[in-house]
Amino acid sequence: MQTGSVTTPFGRRPMTLALVKRQVATNDIKAGKTVEKWKVFRDASEAREELGLQSNSLAVLDALLSFYPENELRQDAQLVVFPSNAQLILRAHGMAGATLRRHLALLVDAGLIVRKDSANGKRYARKNGAGEIENAFGFDLSPILARSEELAVIAQKVVAARSAFRKAKENLTICRRDVRKLITAAIEEGADGDWMAIEAMYIDLVACIPRSPTLADVASILDELELLREEILNLLDTQSNSEFNSTNAAHIEQHTQNSKSESLHELEPSSEKEQGGKPSQRRGPDTETRKAFPLGVVLKACPQIIDYGPAGAVGGWRDLMSAAIVVRSMLGVSPSAYQEACETMGPENAAVAIACILERAGHINSAGGYLRDLTNRAGRGEFSLGPMVMALLRLNGEAGKRSA
């Protein structure tokens, strides 16, 4: 609400009740209060958009602060600066006069400075006989001192919001890559499902991302993509379970007893001594076995294990399990630790865990201890191979781009 006819002697803008209130508030600064002027300037810079300022507004504020001789703004100090427009233009890097006046008005509207007007509308200081400034007319910096805590809070919120936006964009990018890789791998593997329709859904979601998205835009699309990723993983997981469970359990047991060259448990027997005097508890026909991802996804995430497969290749899950036996021994994982992993996770997932450990072997002190920890967590329902495989898939994908 404007008062109407009252204007400043500088003739710029009508005086408002809000401006009057801010001027009154500057007289209520706590006694002895001080603040480092460049710190509060940084806070104002971070809060620029919240205050309705532009980059040139900050350049003008920087110039005004430079005319204040001390490093700290103090409640008991003379906080009025009185540079001419020519001096301000010089310190504002040659800003045009009209631009300078516009941004001075923005600083006043934002409540960072207050005009202290002389009778003739000029900016100057009146000194006493000792040469000290007795009274000054120009721009009062008191509002910056009075609002220092408020500006700091606004700046912190802006920084937090910027950080949240950056993390949301990163998560969106990662999720986009995950969904794209899962769809591509599923198509290449020939997995059952209407992958063309799923891909169309993915393309539609990506197309909804604005050129300059807000945090709300990113969060909304990220939620949709995460749901799509979860649906794809569930579809692949259900298919893997269905494929494995379609195999006759008795047929599996027969292989376990008769084929040392193909059986995981016969290749890696555990003695009663290794099991603490207890007979080995192998997977029964009712034990659920799950393959976390299609084999192609696993091999893309963990390409090193391919060299240890039969004839230096991995053509199926049994080849992967055979390669895992070789790698298990090479990494120093005991037969008992690996057998426990097979019984808890299932042989396919235990082989995938070994492949993942091989990829990160340089960062793991004890492969056997690490595998036992994963096994224990899996037994408690606290561990899933999915995030580990996807992390390696992203890592190896980025490494491939760098080498290319």
Side-chain angles (χ1 to χ4, degrees):
M1 178 179 176
Q2 295 183 356
T3 59
S5 60
V6 181
T7 59
T8 67
F10 292 93
R12 293 98 179 131
R13 308 184 86 152
M15 181 69 74
T16 66
L17 292 179
L19 292 179
V20 173
K21 290 180 180 179
R22 289 170 190 161
Q23 289 181 356
V24 172
T26 60
N27 298 324
D28 298 328
I29 301 174
K30 182 179 178 181
K33 182 177 181 179
T34 64
V35 66
E36 202 272 307
K37 67 178 182 180
W38 298 121
K39 178 184 181 303
V40 77
F41 174 75
R42 288 191 295 271
D43 290 339
S45 299
E46 293 287 0
R48 173 173 65 88
E49 292 185 1
E50 296 292 323
L51 297 171
L53 299 177
Q54 302 172 14
S55 56
N56 278 342
S57 307
L58 297 177
V60 175
L61 181 59
D62 176 84
L64 287 172
L65 287 171
S66 71
F67 284 100
Y68 181 76
E70 300 181 27
N71 194 49
E72 287 190 339
L73 301 174
R74 303 194 324 273
Q75 176 269 336
D76 59 351
Q78 196 286 119
L79 296 178
V80 177
V81 294
F82 41 91
S84 65
N85 280 356
Q87 291 172 316
L88 274 175
I89 288 172
L90 184 62
R91 294 200 186 183
H93 312 293
M95 185 180 296
T99 304
L100 174 70
R101 289 189 292 273
R102 184 172 71 254
H103 289 290
L104 283 171
L106 286 175
L107 291 172
V108 172
D109 289 344
L112 295 183
I113 62 174
V114 171
R115 297 181 189 272
K116 186 176 179 182
D117 303 325
S118 65
N120 60 7
K122 296 187 179 296
R123 303 169 203 154
Y124 65 92
R126 182 182 294 115
K127 298 182 179 180
N128 57 23
E132 297 174 345
I133 295 178
E134 189 176 66
N135 205 356
F137 302 94
F139 299 103
D140 190 352
L141 304 177
S142 297
I144 298 178
L145 176 61
R147 300 180 64 191
S148 58
E149 295 89 353
E150 178 191 350
L151 293 173
V153 171
I154 296 174
Q156 290 171 5
K157 290 181 179 179
V158 169
V159 171
R162 187 185 303 132
S163 177
F165 182 62
R166 184 180 66 253
K167 290 178 181 178
K169 287 183 67 177
E170 289 174 354
N171 291 336
L172 179 60
T173 299
I174 291 172
C175 191
R176 285 177 59 184
R177 292 175 181 172
D178 287 351
V179 173
R180 178 71 271 172
K181 289 175 182 178
L182 285 171
I183 293 173
T184 301
I187 294 174
E188 291 177 353
E189 286 284 308
D192 291 337
D194 191 353
W195 297 107
M196 294 299 102
I198 293 174
E199 185 174 38
M201 291 172 58
Y202 166 76
I203 293 172
D204 288 342
L205 284 174
V206 172
C208 290
I209 303 175
R211 179 167 297 184
S212 300
T214 64
L215 178 58
D217 294 330
V218 174
S220 176
I221 297 171
L222 177 58
D223 286 342
E224 295 290 338
L225 278 175
E226 285 178 338
L227 286 174
L228 180 60
R229 179 174 61 183
E230 185 176 348
E231 290 175 3
I232 293 172
L233 290 174
N234 289 338
L235 179 61
L236 294 174
D237 188 54
T238 301
Q239 182 173 320
S240 296
N241 290 336
S242 176
E243 289 174 357
F244 186 85
N245 291 333
S246 65
T247 304
N248 186 276
H251 183 65
I252 297 176
E253 289 298 321
Q254 181 180 359
H255 274 284
T256 301
Q257 295 170 5
N258 298 336
S259 178
K260 288 186 178 181
S261 63
E262 295 182 349
S263 169
L264 189 64
H265 292 299
E266 291 298 324
L267 277 169
E268 291 294 327
S270 61
S271 65
E272 293 185 7
K273 181 178 180 181
E274 290 173 325
Q275 296 293 329
K278 297 180 181 179
S280 173
Q281 297 179 353
R282 296 179 184 173
R283 292 186 308 117
D286 296 330
T287 303
E288 181 185 7
T289 301
R290 297 183 299 273
K291 295 191 283 280
F293 289 99
L295 181 62
V297 176
V298 174
L299 296 180
K300 285 182 180 180
C302 310
Q304 293 186 43
I305 201 167
I306 297 175
D307 297 335
Y308 299 93
V314 174
W317 282 99
R318 193 162 295 281
D319 290 346
L320 180 67
M321 290 187 283
S322 298
I325 299 301
V326 178
V327 173
R328 189 280 303 162
S329 178
M330 181 186 72
L331 293 176
V333 177
S334 68
S336 62
Y338 189 47
Q339 180 167 314
E340 185 180 354
C342 292
E343 292 168 354
T344 302
M345 303 180 189
E348 288 84 359
N349 283 344
V352 174
I354 287 291
C356 292
I357 292 173
L358 175 63
E359 288 294 318
R360 304 296 291 167
H363 303 275
I364 298 173
N365 292 330
S366 171
Y370 188 71
L371 181 62
R372 284 191 185 276
D373 179 62
L374 296 184
T375 301
N376 291 334
R377 289 164 55 195
R380 296 192 301 268
E382 299 173 355
F383 170 72
S384 171
L385 280 169
M388 180 182 289
V389 172
M390 291 310 301
L392 289 171
L393 190 64
R394 288 194 295 269
L395 186 65
N396 287 327
E398 292 170 359
K401 289 181 181 179
R402 287 195 295 270
S403 62

